[in-house]
Amino acid sequence: MPNTKRRRLFVRSAATTVAVALGATALAACGSSDDDSQTESGPVSLTYWTWTPGMDKVVDLWNKGQGKKDQITVTVKKQASGDTLVTKILTAHKAGKAPDLVQAEYQALPTLVSNDALADISGEVGDAKGKFAEGVWQQTTLGTDAVYAVPQDIGPMMFYYREDLFKEYGLKVPTTWDEFAETARALKNKSPDTDLTTFSANDSGLFAGLAQQAGAKWWTTEGEKWKVGIDDAATQKVAKFWGDLVKEGAIDNQPMYTPAWNKALNTGKQIAWVSAVWAPGTLTTAAPDTKGKWAMAPLPQWSASENVTGSWGGSSTGVTTDSQHKEAAAKFAAWLNTDGEALNALAKEGGIYPASTSAQLSGAFQTPPDYFSNQADFYTQAAKIAETTAPSAWGPNVNVAYTTFKDAFGAAAKNKSDFAAALKTMQDDTVADMKKQGFGVSE
């Protein structure tokens, strides 16, 4: 979304009409109480909805340390993730009973903001901005002067490959997408039964991240209307690239995270994977016999002169508009995602890759993942890649776009048919849903 100070988008649903403020001044007026800016005194109890494993142990550090000093106690309530949690938050907010704090994926923030469920905490956590890469911080501002959450973990994308098999087949690590395509074809010529990788139509987030790297802006605003650009030139380029590779048989067309995919990785039938920083954990389970044989490199670029990556995954900590203790909640959210001890605990207990740039080279990230013990500079390279994260442009119905992607691209990948047609379906269904919900959409 473009920078804007004041804008209200009127969202009409069957039950109510919600005036949505996408700006610091406007949201402060409609989403906070007169007491929010005052210093809170006396014991404060906060509730935090999160799905991160081991979060209760991390929060214990707060309750026994800074929280005890400030008389702010936080209680963790474990939740499911994804759309399930978003729905639960909105349901609770409608009844005025949302928790003080929520964990929210970046792509869910516009949905929560458009329903007036998240408070603008720019006045409480604005100075934390310098601790995060610009493209990461932007995801919590929606391109406005407001701040709707503090970044927690991120998923910068990168390229993983079997180092031993690349040497065996005489392949070079691709630095551009053109080289990537040539590498896939060269491998097929040398070993017809082996694939460089697969296009997985069950991974909406992967496709979104690839489009993000190419410069896509799926949701933006024009005046008081949304503009949907899922079929923009950048995404069309990405769709055509992968569709052509699938159609010619240069790569596989089977989904990831299946027993067949695991076997292909573990036996060397598939020798590369476009993924994110969390890939080592997945490979540990999917391809245990190949530990120490993989290496990581930056994502191929569309132009040799570029240096940018997309995101696949990641979440933030937001304060709800229902909280009666906005200042205290924001203080905890900032501590959780910027304090060194907290971030080390999050890495150890929750297995996250921190959004905080300082944490990416400290504590648990001073040595490589065990699976990549052969690549000593794994996290040093990961931190450099994370700095190049492209800005995102999420909208209020990402769930609809993602569902349509799985259906339309699933059929296209299986039939090796036109990916451009699948992309148009994704665009059309997303626009139709927004109009049905009552959003103003510019054509």
Side-chain angles (χ1 to χ4, degrees), residues 9-295:
L9 303 182
F10 294 91
V11 186
R12 187 178 299 277
S13 67
T16 186
T17 299
V18 181
V20 181
L22 291 183
T25 304
L27 189 59
C30 73
S32 60
S33 70
D34 293 335
D35 294 331
D36 283 340
S37 61
Q38 299 177 4
T39 302
E40 297 173 354
S41 60
V44 171
S45 295
L46 305 174
T47 301
Y48 177 29
W49 284 5
T50 175
W51 67 83
T52 298
M55 184 61 80
D56 52 340
K57 296 181 180 179
V58 182
V59 171
D60 278 346
L61 295 176
W62 165 268
N63 289 335
K64 294 176 181 178
Q66 188 65 44
K68 184 176 182 180
K69 177 181 178 182
D70 296 338
Q71 294 186 297
I72 302 172
T73 301
V74 178
T75 300
V76 170
K77 297 290 186 182
K78 283 294 182 68
Q79 306 292 329
S81 60
D83 292 342
T84 301
L85 179 55
V86 173
T87 300
K88 187 172 182 179
I89 292 169
L90 294 180
T91 300
H93 170 63
K94 186 177 179 181
K97 297 181 179 180
D100 299 278
L101 296 133
V102 294
Q103 182 177 359
E105 293 176 291
Y106 297 114
Q107 69 266 25
L109 292 177
T111 300
L112 295 172
V113 171
S114 67
N115 283 277
D116 199 28
L118 289 183
D120 171 18
I121 53 176
S122 57
E124 290 76 24
V125 301
D127 59 349
K129 178 179 179 179
K131 298 182 181 293
F132 305 94
E134 184 177 351
V136 173
W137 183 257
Q138 177 267 348
Q139 294 197 85
T140 64
T141 69
L142 307 189
T144 72
D145 290 338
V147 177
Y148 296 110
V150 181
Q152 183 168 105
D153 61 306
I154 55 174
M157 295 174 65
M158 45 203 67
F159 179 69
Y160 294 86
Y161 64 100
R162 279 285 299 274
E163 193 171 26
D164 59 330
L165 294 182
F166 262 59
K167 291 180 180 178
E168 179 179 328
Y169 293 122
L171 304 174
K172 293 183 178 180
V173 179
T175 59
T176 66
W177 287 114
D178 284 342
E179 290 179 359
F180 179 92
E182 290 305 315
T183 301
R185 296 179 184 115
L187 176 62
K188 273 295 178 185
N189 288 333
K190 295 179 179 181
S191 181
D193 293 332
T194 305
D195 290 294
L196 180 65
T197 191
T198 186
F199 178 84
S200 180
N202 64 358
D203 289 283
S204 315
L206 170 57
F207 184 74
L210 290 171
Q212 178 188 354
Q213 184 212 19
K217 304 292 183 185
W218 282 6
W219 284 270
T220 54
T221 56
E222 290 186 350
E224 293 189 353
K225 292 185 176 182
W226 287 93
K227 182 176 178 62
V228 181
I230 291 176
D231 64 347
D232 63 8
T235 311
Q236 288 178 12
K237 177 171 64 176
V238 173
K240 183 180 187 305
F241 176 82
W242 289 94
D244 287 350
L245 289 178
V246 168
K247 189 174 183 178
E248 70 177 85
I251 62 173
D252 198 5
N253 62 345
Q254 300 302 309
M256 299 175 187
Y257 310 122
T258 64
W261 181 72
N262 292 347
K263 183 178 180 180
L265 292 178
N266 201 39
T267 60
K269 292 296 183 181
Q270 187 177 128
I271 67 170
W273 184 24
V274 175
S275 188
V277 70
W278 41 259
T282 301
L283 290 171
T284 299
T285 301
D289 296 340
T290 62
K291 176 183 176 182
K293 298 180 179 180
W294 290 78

